[in-house]
Amino acid sequence: MFKKLNILDESDKHLRMKSKDVTFPLSKEDKQTIQQIIKHLTYSQIEEYAEKYDLRPGMGLAFPQLGENKRIIVIVHEVDDEVFDNYVMINPVIISHSEEMIAAETGEGCLSVNREVEGHVARYARVTVEGYDEKGNKIRVRAREDLALAFQHEIDHLDGILFYDRINKDHPFYSDDEIRLI
């Protein structure tokens, strides 16, 4: 049984709040929410299910987008046709990053932003993120390219930052000479 998540719109104040660290063990509700997010994000990236359930495609979601200001992010990364790697990270911290900056050529989107936003978001090409898995074990993920963008985007949500806050108002678009567009 699939239940569509109630994702908050950008106007909701929860999206501008700094989230609190999570303590272990996780509550039963938090574990259930994580599983719901994984299913929602997976279905949103499979055309048949996205149409059936009227889902906008998304690769990541942070708990604040559901009105819960907890430092939990979930990323469902399609690595092959309908083959996904799931990343659940609790209390994530970027511990290192590349000097190289990249941006999504078509710009970023967000399941909480229900409109087109023009501009590039400059982000690190590679990041190493540390945090905890659902059982409280310390984990480390090295992410690059689109997965690195997703981690940075979702971690921003935990600090009350939306992607368009990072678009340079005076210079919203980069050329390939200025930044690598992916």
Side-chain angles (χ1 to χ4, degrees), residues 44-62:
S44 81
Q45 295 179 67
I46 299 172
E47 199 173 327
E48 170 192 345
Y49 291 116
E51 284 179 21
K52 180 177 178 179
Y53 296 112
D54 189 31
L55 303 174
R56 282 180 47 218
M59 142 178 207
L61 202 68

Side-chain angles (χ1 to χ4, degrees), residues 70-134:
K70 299 175 180 178
R71 296 188 77 80
I72 302 175
I73 63 171
V74 179
I75 296 171
V76 176
H77 183 225
E78 190 168 19
V79 291
D80 205 354
D81 203 29
E82 296 186 12
V83 176
F84 301 91
D85 283 342
N86 298 333
Y87 299 89
V88 175
M89 195 167 286
I90 296 150
N91 303 334
V93 177
I94 295 172
I95 59 164
S96 67
H97 59 77
S98 62
E99 284 188 26
E100 181 190 12
M101 302 296 283
I102 59 174
E105 189 165 9
T106 57
E108 289 187 21
C110 178
L111 293 174
S112 290
V113 179
N114 298 303
R115 61 189 172 93
E116 286 292 317
V117 177
E118 298 282 318
H120 292 140
V121 181
R123 298 205 187 261
Y124 301 113
R126 292 172 302 287
V127 292
T128 301
V129 184
E130 271 187 3
Y132 298 88
D133 67 12
E134 293 170 83

Side-chain angles (χ1 to χ4, degrees), residues 27 31 34-35 105 110 114 145 153 161:
S27 70
K31 289 178 184 176
I34 288 167
Q35 291 311 307
E105 189 165 9
C110 178
N114 298 303
E145 307 288 318
H153 178 111
I161 299 167

